[in-house]
Each structure stands twice: as C-alpha cells, then as structure tokens.
Amino acid sequence: MNFNLLRTQKVDVLRYLPKFLANDTTFKVSQDSLSEEHEKLRLLIIDLCRQMFVESATWGLDDWERVYGIAHNSNATDEERRNMLLTKMQGTATISIEKLNELVNLVSPSKDVVVLENTEPNQFKVLVNTPVSVKDIREVVELYKPAHLAYLVAHQFTCQSAVNILGAVKVTRRISIKQAENDGIIRTKLPNISTIGAISTLHTLHINQEDL
C-alpha cells in the first residue's frame, strides 16, 4: 500500500522559499529545525495510516486482536499474527474445499497443507507435509468446517529414496498330542509369545504316539 500521502521524499521547507534565504545561517538553521519537525509528523501520519489495515499493521495488531477476540501470542511474528486475523475476518459464509485450502495455508509457514474431501462418509482429511502450526491449523478447521463433518489431520511426507517400514506381529504355536488311539486329542497353547518379522504365522505341531 502507498502511504506517501502528499510527498515521497524527506521534508525540506527551504525548497519552497527563494534560494538566497538559505545564505543566512540563522534563517537556514531555523528552517532546518522546522523541516525536521515536519518530517517527524509526516512519518507519524504514515505509521498511523498503516495501523488501519491488517496487512500493514505492526503495533496496531494488539487492537485488531482485541476486536476479533484473538488471544495475543507473544511468540508469533507479525506476519503470523496478520494471517490469523485475516483468517478470522473471512467470516462464516459457506466454505468450499478451495477456500478451506486457502485458509489453512494462511497459518502454515510451509504453505503445503492439502485438504482432501470425501475420504470417508462425512469426513475430510487435512494433509500436513511439514508438521508445524498443527494447533493453528486445527483452530482454523474448527472455525470454518460444517458442524456435521469430521476430519483427520494427517502427516504426509514425500521422498525420492526407499522407505523401509517395519513392524512386529505376534506368533503362536499350537501343539496337538495324541496319547493313544482311543484317547481324544489334547491341545495345549504355549504360554510364551514371541515377536518376529512383519508376517503373521501359525505353527501347528502334531505328535503321535509312535513319536513318543
């Protein structure tokens, strides 16, 4: 925004007076003092005008946050505070997937958040590539999403190398021992359970009478 008002350069009142007057030292000193005071007022007016707009406000952000009911965060930068205010000022009109994408990226420093709709019935997903400002993202989503919709914030990552995913699955062994031809099968479970690999396996061991 252009806040230069009437002039774009430093004030010098001697510019508007006959040049020969500057030859008088006393007169020049007095006019230079007036120029300095005029310059202070010019910069002050410009600074005040900047506070009237969220996009350029600095010390005036405190008043904007008070008006819109946003708690002051001393750790946030001026740019982050402006983004939160701009998000709050969007209003409560019908929200679209494109608009929600725009709003959540206002509070994400990495600007790489993606909103996916209809991932499940009455549910959408918010994919965060860089897991920062998740709390702020949740606040934006809660503020603008329709009340009947659920959502999931998920961390996605992209890479150009192999990704190894490891896990552990419980393995059980079942032993069937046939004592005699006329006896029923006695089944026992071993109490020890071990974890190996990532594939579920089941070992069944049959021991007949002749094996004993």
Side-chain angles (χ1 to χ4, degrees):
M1 295 183 181
N2 186 352
F3 295 100
N4 289 320
L5 303 179
L6 295 177
R7 54 177 59 90
T8 60
Q9 54 188 336
K10 187 176 180 179
V11 176
D12 181 9
V13 296
L14 285 173
R15 293 175 56 229
Y16 309 101
L17 298 175
K19 293 184 181 299
F20 72 87
L21 293 175
N23 295 329
D24 186 288
T25 305
T26 303
F27 185 81
K28 184 177 186 306
V29 169
S30 65
Q31 297 308 301
D32 287 344
S33 297
L34 290 174
S35 296
E36 184 178 347
E37 294 302 317
H38 274 284
E39 177 66 10
K40 290 179 181 178
L41 288 174
R42 183 182 77 90
L43 296 177
L44 177 60
I45 292 172
I46 292 176
D47 192 32
L48 287 172
C49 290
R50 291 182 182 277
Q51 310 315 311
M52 303 299 155
F53 303 89
V54 173
E55 294 87 343
S56 57
T58 52
W59 52 265
L61 289 173
D62 290 340
D63 290 323
W64 283 102
E65 289 173 339
R66 176 179 55 81
V67 170
Y68 280 92
I70 298 178
H72 176 68
N73 182 1
S74 58
N75 296 323
T77 64
D78 286 348
E79 187 63 27
E80 290 171 342
R81 295 170 67 190
R82 292 188 191 106
N83 287 336
M84 286 300 297
L85 281 163
L86 291 172
T87 300
K88 191 70 177 288
M89 294 168 65
Q90 296 294 323
T92 56
T94 302
I95 193 74
S96 65
I97 190 69
E98 293 79 12
K99 190 63 176 179
L100 188 57
N101 260 308
E102 177 185 341
L103 292 172
V104 294
N105 278 291
L106 279 176
V107 298
S108 172
S110 55
K111 309 298 182 186
D112 56 4
V113 181
V114 178
V115 179
L116 301 177
E117 60 181 342
N118 299 325
T119 54
E120 293 288 344
N122 296 320
Q123 183 186 94
F124 63 94
K125 184 179 293 186
V126 181
L127 298 180
V128 182
N129 198 17
T130 307
V132 294
S133 301
V134 175
K135 179 177 179 294
D136 294 334
I137 292 173
R138 286 187 179 275
E139 290 178 355
V140 171
V141 173
E142 288 289 348
L143 180 62
Y144 291 102
K145 78 175 184 66
H148 68 284
L149 292 182
Y151 70 96
L152 175 67
V153 176
H155 171 43
Q156 71 168 6
F157 60 92
T158 57
C159 66
Q160 298 181 354
S161 60
V163 177
N164 297 319
I165 301 177
L166 305 178
V169 181
K170 293 181 179 179
V171 178
T172 62
R173 292 188 180 92
R174 177 176 296 174
I175 299 177
S176 299
I177 302 176
K178 187 175 181 181
Q179 297 288 351
E181 292 184 0
N182 296 329
D183 292 338
I185 296 177
I186 303 175
R187 298 182 182 272
T188 62
K189 282 188 177 180
L190 294 180
N192 295 327
I193 297 176
S194 60
T195 56
I196 58 171
I199 303 176
S200 178
T201 61
L202 178 63
H203 298 283
T204 302
L205 175 64
H206 295 276
I207 301 178
N208 296 321
Q209 187 177 13
E210 55 271 24
D211 296 327
L212 300 176

